[in-house]
Amino acid sequence: MHKKAFIWALVVAVVATGIYFVFSRYLVSRLDGTGGVSAPQTTMQQYSSEDGYSFMYPASFELSSRTEGNAERQWDVLLLLPKGYMPPVGGEGPPAISLSVFPNPEGLSLDAWVKGDARSNWKMIVDERATRATEVGGQPAIWYHYSGLYEVDSVAVAHDGKILLFSGDWLEPTDQIRADFNNLIKTVQFN
């Protein structure tokens, strides 16, 4: 009899703990008015490229750049990671914000490039009906969401013979990095 009472007490304790954590997260999101996402960063830094585009990003991120591909097919990548992040050896990094700048020597339309180039990850989109035409820095853009190692919001825009692909990785819809990505997209400007 004591064994049954102990098991029931354990089940009740686990359920109560779960309810407490769910309810406390709900209360915090209601009280701070952000839906669980903390307020946007107030300290921002600006990145300006030699190619005539710029954007603002939170000062809590560190910007790095690299070239990917091979000699025949290269593109530049800007990566924004939380400051002080140390990548694991042989492991995956955390959710990040990135900008990949792809040459477009064929002069493909933005739509043709996004749907036809494997680097856009278009084939991994969650729901094609949820994609939308939008504007970034006054230029036509395509917003879409796909699922891979992380959930990813991507925004593609054509500029000066190149395709700029902004991507923001996240785990939960309320993650701060998702708000940071959306805020970054709003600051993109073309000269």
Side-chain angles (χ1 to χ4, degrees):
M1 185 66 173
H2 292 285
K3 188 175 180 181
K4 270 187 175 176
F6 175 75
I7 290 173
W8 276 107
L10 185 61
V11 167
V12 168
V14 168
V15 169
T17 302
I19 290 171
Y20 169 78
F21 281 113
V22 169
F23 186 70
S24 65
R25 184 173 176 144
Y26 172 80
L27 268 181
V28 167
S29 71
R30 289 290 175 216
L31 293 174
D32 71 7
T34 65
V37 177
S38 59
Q41 299 286 333
T42 54
T43 307
M44 303 290 280
Q45 294 184 340
Q46 182 170 351
Y47 172 82
S48 296
S49 79
E50 295 174 358
D51 293 330
Y53 59 86
S54 64
F55 58 84
M56 304 291 289
Y57 63 94
S60 60
F61 283 82
E62 189 170 356
L63 181 77
S64 64
S65 65
R66 65 179 185 256
T67 300
E68 291 191 0
N70 56 38
E72 296 171 358
R73 189 177 185 189
Q74 288 185 345
W75 64 93
D76 296 321
V77 177
L78 296 174
L79 186 64
L80 289 161
L81 286 169
K83 281 186 177 174
Y85 173 75
M86 297 299 292
V89 176
E92 297 292 339
I97 297 171
S98 65
L99 166 60
S100 299
V101 182
F102 300 101
N104 186 12
E106 297 89 8
L108 297 173
S109 70
L110 181 61
D111 190 61
W113 186 90
V114 167
K115 291 180 180 176
D117 194 297
R119 298 170 293 179
S120 72
N121 290 317
W122 178 261
K123 293 184 188 233
M124 297 171 62
I125 64 172
V126 175
D127 182 359
E128 190 169 342
R129 295 171 298 174
T131 64
R132 68 178 187 264
T134 187
E135 224 177 67
V136 172
Q139 300 294 316
I142 299 172
W143 179 95
Y144 57 101
H145 169 86
Y146 66 89
S147 190
L149 178 62
Y150 302 111
E151 297 301 307
V152 182
D153 292 325
S154 283
V155 178
V157 61
H159 172 68
D160 199 26
K162 296 179 179 166
I163 304 293
L164 282 66
L165 183 63
F166 295 87
S167 296
D169 309 339
W170 48 275
L171 296 169
E172 297 292 330
T174 57
D175 287 351
Q176 179 62 46
I177 195 165
R178 195 170 193 205
D180 292 336
F181 175 75
N182 289 328
N183 289 335
L184 181 150
I185 292 298
K186 291 175 187 173
T187 69
V188 173
Q189 295 182 349
F190 297 103
N191 302 333

